[in-house]
Amino acid sequence: MKTWIDGRIVDAKDATVNVTDHGLLYGDGLFEGMRVAAGRLFRIERHLARLAAGAKALGLALPRPLDGLRAIVEETARAHAEREAYVRLVVTRGVGPLGVDPTTCARPGLFCIVGAIRLFDDEQRRRGLELITSSHRRPDADALDMRIKSLNYLGSALAKLEARQRGADDALLLNARGHVAEASVANVFALRGDVLATPPATDGCLEGINRAAVMELARGLGLTVVERSLGRLDFFAADEAFLTGTGAGVIAMRSLDGRAIGRGERGPVTARLTALHRQLAETEGVELIAAPGGQT
């Protein structure tokens, strides 16, 4: 694992963050998680655009222009030198005195981590995931807009903990109105007939980069793709359902709260979208790390 910090790239074990950084103390900051697939960095422009929008919403000045941030990500990914990797670019409010006041931080903090991530194993991907409905709720946008990819992931961590303690792979989170928002750290889709539905961002989900990619691919298959409010019933009645995300990729849901979704296994449309999404990631974007022998 490699880390860019303070203008240099070091092994992760040698990277340190000041204990008075407000990103650590108060979750005051933003991040983007990106994927290197087959040596290519997937849709970095969209990730950086989302980071910039989030920074503006938080009143947080980015420490470098977007092309400078891109250069840091690419440099760190090349130093890691693996054709399959996860990238996390983090911007914090910065070091400051104790106390939540953001104006006491002189300048924002910045670091980039590149390493491996494995949210689910091969068996989970083959059979699909078992989900439970979490008792934790996504807040309404007037309390905390989940389109901002902030460092505050406590709700996601507690939902995941609840799922694991109940013997499930992951959790489905609802908002205060009982509408489905997303999984703990992934967007969700439900397929019924030829209609593929996913919750709108206003119901408490992130506007996922991979979510958008899958919507594009699904339309290419002739599916009708809609963003609308969904309830648990939409998943119980679905022919297929799946999750999408940078870490998750595309992965099927086999059950929710002990009830099988469709046939209780990965369906043909999910399998097709999984393959197409991987193919897109392998061919889109600038190649950073060439295959051994120069083969791509």
Side-chain angles (χ1 to χ4, degrees):
M1 187 180 296
K2 295 294 183 181
T3 302
W4 184 100
I5 190 167
D6 296 330
R8 62 194 184 103
I9 296 174
V10 298
D11 290 339
K13 63 182 177 60
D14 298 319
T16 59
V17 175
N18 192 307
V19 295
T20 62
D21 191 301
H22 280 213
L24 171 64
L25 292 178
Y26 306 111
D28 190 355
L30 299 159
F31 78 95
E32 283 294 323
M34 294 167 258
R35 173 69 72 178
V36 176
R40 296 178 184 273
L41 191 59
F42 186 61
R43 297 197 169 180
I44 184 172
E45 299 89 352
R46 300 192 188 195
H47 281 285
L48 292 177
R50 187 172 65 184
L51 181 76
K56 188 172 184 179
L58 296 184
L60 174 58
L62 292 176
R64 299 198 179 197
L66 295 187
D67 58 351
L69 296 178
R70 176 171 186 150
I72 288 170
V73 169
E74 292 182 353
E75 180 185 2
T76 313
R78 288 192 179 100
H80 184 248
E82 295 291 339
R83 286 171 55 79
E84 301 293 327
Y86 174 81
V87 179
R88 177 159 295 199
L89 180 66
V90 180
V91 181
T92 74
R93 187 71 67 176
V95 173
L98 294 175
V100 75
D101 185 356
T103 66
T104 62
C105 301
R107 62 181 183 274
L110 173 67
F111 57 91
C112 179
I113 307 167
V114 181
I117 188 171
R118 197 181 191 198
L119 299 185
F120 305 107
D121 61 30
D122 293 340
E123 175 60 18
Q124 289 171 309
R125 292 188 175 280
R126 183 194 64 78
R127 64 171 171 77
L129 302 180
E130 297 177 354
L131 273 71
I132 54 97
T133 303
S134 176
S135 62
H136 300 281
R137 291 290 185 265
R138 279 285 184 251
D140 286 335
D142 61 347
L144 181 64
D145 196 324
M146 298 307 297
R147 291 176 294 178
I148 301 171
K149 200 171 176 68
S150 78
L151 298 181
N152 182 357
Y153 261 49
L154 180 59
S156 295
L158 292 177
K160 187 72 170 187
L161 177 62
E162 182 179 19
R164 302 302 293 143
Q165 289 176 335
R166 291 171 57 181
D169 300 307
D170 208 340
L172 197 69
L173 286 101
L174 310 180
N175 61 27
R177 298 179 300 282
H179 296 150
V180 173
E182 57 186 354
S184 63
V185 289
N187 293 113
V188 292
F189 288 81
L191 175 71
R192 193 171 185 182
D194 63 354
V195 178
L196 183 64
T198 191
T202 49
D203 275 351
C205 72
L206 183 71
E207 291 179 313
I209 307 300
N210 293 275
R211 169 182 179 267
V214 167
M215 291 166 75
E216 295 167 13
L217 294 170
R219 292 188 180 104
L221 293 178
L223 298 175
T224 299
V225 181
V226 297
E227 294 180 74
R228 65 175 179 85
S229 294
L230 300 175
R232 292 166 68 238
L233 177 61
D234 291 289
F235 288 85
F236 293 141
D239 300 318
E240 301 179 34
F242 57 86
L243 279 60
T244 65
T246 296
V250 179
I251 185 167
M253 290 173 55
R254 66 179 298 189
S255 68
L256 175 62
D257 296 325
R259 297 172 225 182
I261 295 174
R263 296 182 179 180
E265 59 187 17
R266 185 173 70 165
V269 174
T270 302
R272 181 67 176 141
L273 287 171
T274 301
L276 288 172
H277 179 261
R278 176 63 193 183
Q279 182 182 16
L280 182 66
E282 289 179 348
T283 56
E284 188 178 277
V286 177
E287 186 177 51
L288 298 178
I289 302 99
Q295 298 298 312
T296 58

